[in-house]
């Protein structure tokens, strides 16, 4: 092996690496100085994140252009050139994505520094995030397509696909109908301002905050730190609650079920005292009204206001807790009770039926024809009575008398109940 065969690969590879580091270092220094001169924009500082992909692109390009001059591994020249081409395409896509991200984030930072409206900031943030994802997806598809077209066999397949593009487009549209629907729904959400990052929403009865929006799904973080992932097409086809639309201020309710003797006026004074001591109350309004009554309780509704959904939850919980504690300590009679004693003035004496009195008097009367008790061991009278029925008849007559008395007693009680109901309820038609 001659000296030229050894030095040529070292010069080509070493020179490419040295040029890469020199140009990369120079570019980094220039970006640092430019960032120091223009502190009003973070663009130049964010572009410094592109150092690694920029050096990789530069090195791959230099090696791809000068590899033939190295005369190294001539038998694998085609494979090495193919590999360097793939690396160059991938590094270029990486660099483009990093540059686009730096531009988008710097633009949003400058907008956020000059805008004080949280709703507009969330809307712009949502649009910026989806634009960034669209650019990343497009660049990735183009890069993968360019990589595949570097293979001769894939060029033939690509030509055939172009020839039957109409049919394949119909088939692909039917097969990817759900994916395409979510893609367009994501764009509609981004530019239609339906839901934004940070919005408080209620979806399928779940309350949470929108944490992430992509072109295909939307993630909602619930109050108990669960993450609900839903397709974005759901928000364009079904109704949902967005508590952040039209302002984040909210009004909350607290219901109390109390006894009819509850001190409503004192409760209004106590409610005002509680909310004024609550840090989350925004001072817009409060009220306490009687909204419903039942035979055993009365329902009171307290209205309070706060700056957002989290604050209104805290205010409602504090009002509920402190008001119940105050009622228990100062007015325990106002708490709901279950009545187990009769109402005052109600006659609770037992109802005595005249028919029952007559039946009892008949039982106490000794019939004249009742047989005398026989001596123990005597069976003649019992057998005769059993045969002729002379002793069973009095017992049966007394039983029938008791049954008639019970029925008359029941009828008398029912009549008194109907007369009492007619007297209490007034005349009936």
């Amino acid at each position: 092996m001659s000296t030229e065969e050894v030095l040529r690969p070292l010069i080509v590879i070493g020179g490419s690496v040295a040029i890469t580091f020199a140009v990369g270092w120079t570019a980094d220094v220039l970006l640092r100085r430019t960032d120091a001169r223009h502190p009003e924009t973070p663009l130049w500082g964010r572009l410094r994140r592109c150092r690694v992909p920029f050096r990789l692109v530069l090195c791959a390009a230099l090696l791809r252009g000068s590899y033939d001059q190295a005369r190294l591994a001539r038998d694998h020249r085609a494979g090495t050139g193919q590999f360097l081409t793939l690396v160059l395409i991938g590094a270029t896509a990486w660099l483009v994505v990093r540059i686009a991200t730096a531009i988008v984030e710097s633009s949003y930072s400058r907008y956020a520094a000059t805008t004080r409206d949280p709703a507009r900031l969330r809307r712009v943030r949502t649009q910026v995030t989806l634009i960034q994802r669209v650019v990343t997806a497009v660049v990735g598809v183009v890069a993968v397509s360019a990589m595949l077209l570097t293979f001769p066999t894939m060029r033939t397949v690509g030509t055939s696909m172009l020839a039957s593009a109409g049919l394949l487009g119909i088939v692909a549209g039917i097969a990817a109908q759900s994916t395409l629907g979510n893609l367009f729904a994501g764009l509609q959400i981004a530019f239609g301002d339906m839901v934004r990052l940070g919005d408080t929403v209620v979806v399928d009865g779940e309350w949470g905050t929108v944490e992430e929006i992509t072109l295909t799904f939307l993630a909602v973080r619930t109050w108990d730190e669960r993450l609900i992932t839903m397709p974005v097409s759901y928000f364009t086809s079904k109704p949902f609650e967005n508590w952040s639309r039209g302002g984040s201020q909210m009004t909350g309710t607290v219901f109390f079920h109390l006894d009819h003797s509850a001190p409503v006026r004192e409760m209004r004074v106590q409610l005002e005292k509680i909310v004024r001591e609550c840090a989350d109350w925004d001072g817009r309004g409060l009220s306490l009204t009687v909204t419903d009554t039942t035979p055993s309780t009365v329902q009171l509704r307290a209205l309070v206001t706060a700056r957002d959904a989290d604050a209104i939850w805290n205010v409602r919980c504090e009002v509920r807790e402190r008001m119940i504690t105050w009622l228990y300590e100062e007015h325990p009679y106002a708490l709901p009770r279950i009545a187990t004693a009769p109402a005052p003035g109600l006659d609770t004496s037992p109802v005595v039926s005249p028919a029952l009195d007559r039946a009892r008097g008949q039982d106490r009367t000794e019939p004249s024809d009742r047989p005398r008790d026989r001596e123990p061991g005597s069976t003649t009278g019992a057998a005769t009575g059993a045969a002729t029925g002379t002793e069973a008849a009095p017992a049966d007559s007394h039983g029938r008398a008791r049954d008639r008395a019970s029925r008359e007693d029941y009828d008398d009680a029912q009549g008194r109940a109907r007369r009492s109901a007619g007297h209490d309820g007034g005349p009936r038609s």
Side-chain angles (χ1 to χ4, degrees):
M1 181 181 294
S2 62
T3 306
E4 181 181 359
E5 294 178 351
V6 176
L7 293 178
R8 184 182 291 274
L10 293 177
I11 293 173
V12 171
I13 298 176
S16 300
V17 174
I19 293 173
T20 298
F21 277 97
V23 174
W25 178 80
T26 303
D28 186 57
V29 171
L30 292 176
L31 289 174
R32 189 185 303 117
R33 292 180 179 179
T34 305
D35 185 38
R37 285 197 219 98
H38 300 281
E40 71 278 0
T41 176
L43 176 60
W44 309 108
R46 297 181 186 275
L47 286 176
R48 293 186 60 196
R49 301 177 183 176
C50 305
R51 295 190 301 268
V52 176
F54 174 72
R55 291 172 181 173
L56 185 58
V57 169
L58 185 58
C59 183
L62 291 175
L63 290 176
R64 183 65 183 88
S66 60
Y67 179 77
D68 292 338
Q69 302 298 328
R71 298 178 183 178
L72 184 65
R74 296 180 179 179
D75 297 338
H76 303 282
R77 181 181 301 176
T80 305
Q82 184 79 19
F83 174 75
L84 291 175
T85 301
L86 295 177
V87 172
L88 179 60
I89 295 174
T92 302
W94 186 13
L95 178 61
V96 171
V97 171
R98 281 290 182 90
I99 293 175
T101 302
I103 294 174
V104 169
E105 291 183 354
S106 62
S107 301
Y108 173 75
S109 299
R110 294 188 63 181
Y111 181 82
T114 58
T115 304
R116 300 300 181 213
D117 188 1
R120 292 180 62 88
L121 284 178
R122 290 197 300 269
R123 181 183 63 186
V124 173
R125 181 60 178 173
T126 303
Q127 295 175 355
V128 163
T129 302
L130 289 182
I131 289 174
Q132 181 178 343
R133 294 182 185 276
V134 169
V135 171
T136 302
V138 171
V139 172
V141 171
V142 172
V144 172
S145 302
M147 289 180 179
L148 293 177
L149 291 178
T150 58
F151 297 94
T153 54
M154 294 303 299
R155 294 177 184 174
T156 305
V157 174
T159 304
S160 302
M161 291 177 63
L162 289 176
S164 57
L167 180 60
L168 289 177
I170 296 174
V171 174
I174 296 175
Q177 182 179 3
S178 177
T179 304
L180 293 176
N182 287 328
L183 177 63
F184 289 109
L187 296 176
Q188 183 178 354
I189 287 177
F191 298 100
D193 199 23
M194 299 175 57
V195 61
R196 300 155 296 192
L197 290 172
D199 281 1
T200 302
V201 297
V202 179
V203 182
D204 284 344
E206 297 287 348
W207 177 89
T209 304
V210 178
E211 188 174 86
E212 185 179 4
I213 299 178
T214 67
L215 293 177
T216 56
F217 70 89
L218 188 147
V220 177
R221 179 72 66 177
T222 61
W223 64 272
D224 54 355
E225 297 185 357
R226 290 181 293 117
L227 189 64
I228 301 178
T229 303
M230 309 184 70
V232 292
S233 59
Y234 176 90
F235 293 87
T236 59
S237 59
K238 296 182 180 180
F240 65 95
E241 296 183 28
N242 190 342
W243 291 4
S244 300
R245 292 280 299 176
S248 59
Q249 297 176 342
M250 296 194 67
T251 300
T253 59
V254 181
F255 288 95
F256 299 98
H257 296 271
L258 305 175
D259 189 77
H260 290 82
S261 59
V264 180
R265 294 183 180 179
E266 290 82 352
M267 289 182 65
R268 290 193 178 100
V269 177
Q270 182 66 18
L271 175 63
E272 183 176 359
K273 178 182 177 181
I274 292 173
V275 297
R276 291 190 182 280
E277 296 175 357
C278 183
D280 291 320
W281 183 58
D282 61 356
R284 289 189 297 119
L286 64 95
S287 66
L288 180 68
T289 55
V290 179
T291 57
D292 193 12
T293 58
T294 65
S296 58
T297 61
V298 60
Q299 177 179 278
L300 281 74
R301 183 191 65 187
L303 291 180
V304 291
T305 59
R307 62 182 180 274
D308 54 27
D310 294 334
I312 197 64
W313 172 261
N314 296 333
V315 174
R316 292 173 60 196
C317 292
E318 184 170 354
V319 167
R320 185 182 296 109
E321 177 183 355
R322 294 185 60 180
M323 185 64 76
I324 291 298
T325 303
W326 177 77
L327 288 173
Y328 179 78
E329 295 175 352
E330 302 295 335
H331 304 277
Y333 60 88
L335 299 178
R337 303 185 300 271
I338 298 177
T340 57
L346 181 64
D347 186 11
T348 58
S349 59
V351 178
V352 179
S353 172
L356 185 59
D357 286 342
R358 290 194 300 270
R360 291 175 179 175
Q362 187 176 2
D363 290 343
R364 288 194 297 267
T365 303
E366 283 290 338
S368 58
D369 57 347
R370 178 176 296 180
R372 297 179 180 180
D373 296 338
R374 299 183 181 273
E375 294 295 331
S378 175
T379 58
T380 306
T384 306
T388 61
T390 57
E391 289 190 357
D396 292 340
S397 62
H398 291 311
R400 287 193 296 271
R402 292 191 189 95
D403 292 341
R404 287 194 301 272
S406 299
R407 286 195 297 271
E408 292 175 1
D409 181 30
Y410 176 79
D411 294 339
D412 292 341
Q414 291 293 326
R416 284 195 298 274
R418 285 193 294 269
R419 288 193 298 274
S420 175
H423 177 73
D424 295 340
R428 297 183 182 179
S429 57

